[in-house]
Amino acid sequence: MKTIEHWINGAATTAGSTRTAPVWNPATGAQRAKVLLAETSDVDTAVAAAGKAFEEWGSASLSRRSRVMFAFRELLVKHETELAKLISAEHGKVVDDARGEIVRGREVVEYACGIADALKGGYSDQVSRDVDVFSFRQPLGVCAGITPFNFPIMVPLWMHPVAIATGNTFVLKPSERDPSASNLVAELYAEAGLPDGVFNVVHGDKVAVDAILEHPDIAAVSFVGSTPIAKYVHERATATGKRVQALGGAKNHAVVLPDADLEYAVNHLTAAAFGSAGQRCMAISVAVAVGDAADALVAALARKAREVKVGPGDDPSSEMGPVVTGAAKQRVENAVVSAAEQGATVVVDGRGLTVEGHEGGFFTGPSLVDNVRPAMDVYREEIFGPVLAIVRAESIDEAIALINDNPYGNGTALFTASGEAARRFQREVTVGMIGVNVPIPVPMSYYSFGGWKDSLIGDSPIHGPEGVRFYTRPKVVTTRWPQVAQSVEAAFTFPTSH
Ligand code: NAD
């Protein structure tokens, strides 16, 4: 059985690790590898390598840093199929969906290729007689990333290209459930000319995470995962003086107004709820059917949900793969049971689905649950699986109030033909990322990604301009070059312009 090792200082290594965790193939239910779980001392080794590498990389020229990013971008294109298959084999998502996450992650690398522009400082001439002021930003040092299973390449790519292009070095602790893509990324960085120690991968569980949160030589931690762990990471890492960006879970609502094009809304909602088996932080898990839209919407959604082709991720005809583990399948199916027990109507029941030839796989079919009320568990909990809950509302006001009462605020969408309704919705919802007739409004890499409320702990969204700000700190320099002959009096009062 293959052992997936760490990548430290430019090479694969077991470091001092002996503990391992199984890595499954969710489509077959069989173990495909084991991954090392780092001890605190292994994190120390990686941080020491990153600290040493920062001595040189922190002063590397902008041209050199962006050249590495251009080369890395080309290698991501060249290895797209290999990467997509690797992701599919460990995560379970269909290969074309995995390609999609590679493309969206690569866009962050493309943003990082233009770091010279994104990092430009400011200059003010003659703020006082013979005095000029300029500002620039410098890297922090060693930064760390802790990432979830559901986007094993895209979410880390939200972090490390921006961190590295701004001159930092990086230690990534990816999800232990689908760790292999990160090692391939490390190899591609090395091939792109990134010096040893600038990008390191340490695999592990809570032991590795805690070691990162406590480490005195790590300046910043980027986290993406579930809300309880995001809160924990934020609390622990800020307590040890680090910068933290911590993105959490979600419960994304799509509101369908009576004037929406029904077929358009149904097609997009089906894909947004069941694509990647609902394991996207921007998946739609609640559809709010307003007024007259409800009955026709539920009937059409039920028809589409039954048509979703569920199968192994490497079968090109599959639209939806398995969920990530047997425990995830159980959790998803329990949510459907509890919805029925609490009075909701299970219109499509995805439980008990088997895929021929893949009987051991972690498959569960799309489920559609109508007449959901906010007090029910199926509404309150982040199920993170292919379950779409329908809540019926009388008006757009009721729909907006529902969204604003929800503790999460990652993404939301409105289906409508009314510009007035759309404008009101986008201004009033307490959610960070909003789609108008766009169900999964993931911002482009040159904007920043992040929700509100329990979907983002702290104050820093990820990548784009916010990423550049997060991974750097500013300096402002005030200069005067007096002429030798000029007599310049030093004032004891607080300096003001003259
Ligand atoms: P998770 O919170 O279980 O794990 C995320 C990371 O934290 C992993 O690297 C894991 O090893 C580590 N971890 C897990 N338990 C820990 C503990 N007790 N102490 C310290 N570290 C721990 O999340 P997941 O199941 O891998 O991913 C799914 C979650 O991520 C969902 O809640 C989803 O909404 C969220 N997510 C959010 C976004 C976003 O942008 N807001 C994006 C992707 C995923």
Side-chain angles (χ1 to χ4, degrees), residues 146-151 155 158 173-177 204-206 209-210 223-227 229 232 247-250 281 382 384 410 449 455:
I146 302 163
T147 53
F149 82 86
N150 66 322
F151 285 111
V155 168
W158 286 351
K173 203 303 283 172
S175 172
E176 62 275 41
R177 288 185 239 168
D205 54 9
K206 181 170 164 54
V209 172
D210 286 347
F223 174 87
V224 176
S226 60
T227 293
I229 312 297
Y232 171 77
L247 280 64
C281 57
E382 182 186 29
F384 220 56
N410 213 41
F449 181 108
S455 296

Side-chain angles (χ1 to χ4, degrees), residues 292-316:
D292 300 345
D295 288 342
L297 181 73
V298 172
L301 280 172
R303 217 169 30 247
K304 286 297 270 186
R306 290 193 188 97
E307 283 169 15
V308 174
K309 175 113 183 30
V310 182
D314 60 5
D315 177 344

Side-chain angles (χ1 to χ4, degrees), residues 230-281:
K231 287 183 172 166
Y232 171 77
V233 165
H234 188 264
E235 195 177 308
R236 288 281 297 270
T238 52
T240 57
K242 303 182 197 328
R243 274 187 192 195
V244 185
Q245 50 185 186
L247 280 64
K251 196 80 183 175
N252 305 311
H253 298 58
V255 177
V256 183
L257 295 187
D259 65 7
D261 181 313
L262 190 71
E263 194 188 350
Y264 178 93
V266 166
N267 287 346
H268 282 85
L269 276 177
T270 306
F274 306 129
S276 200
Q279 300 170 116
R280 294 177 179 146
C281 57

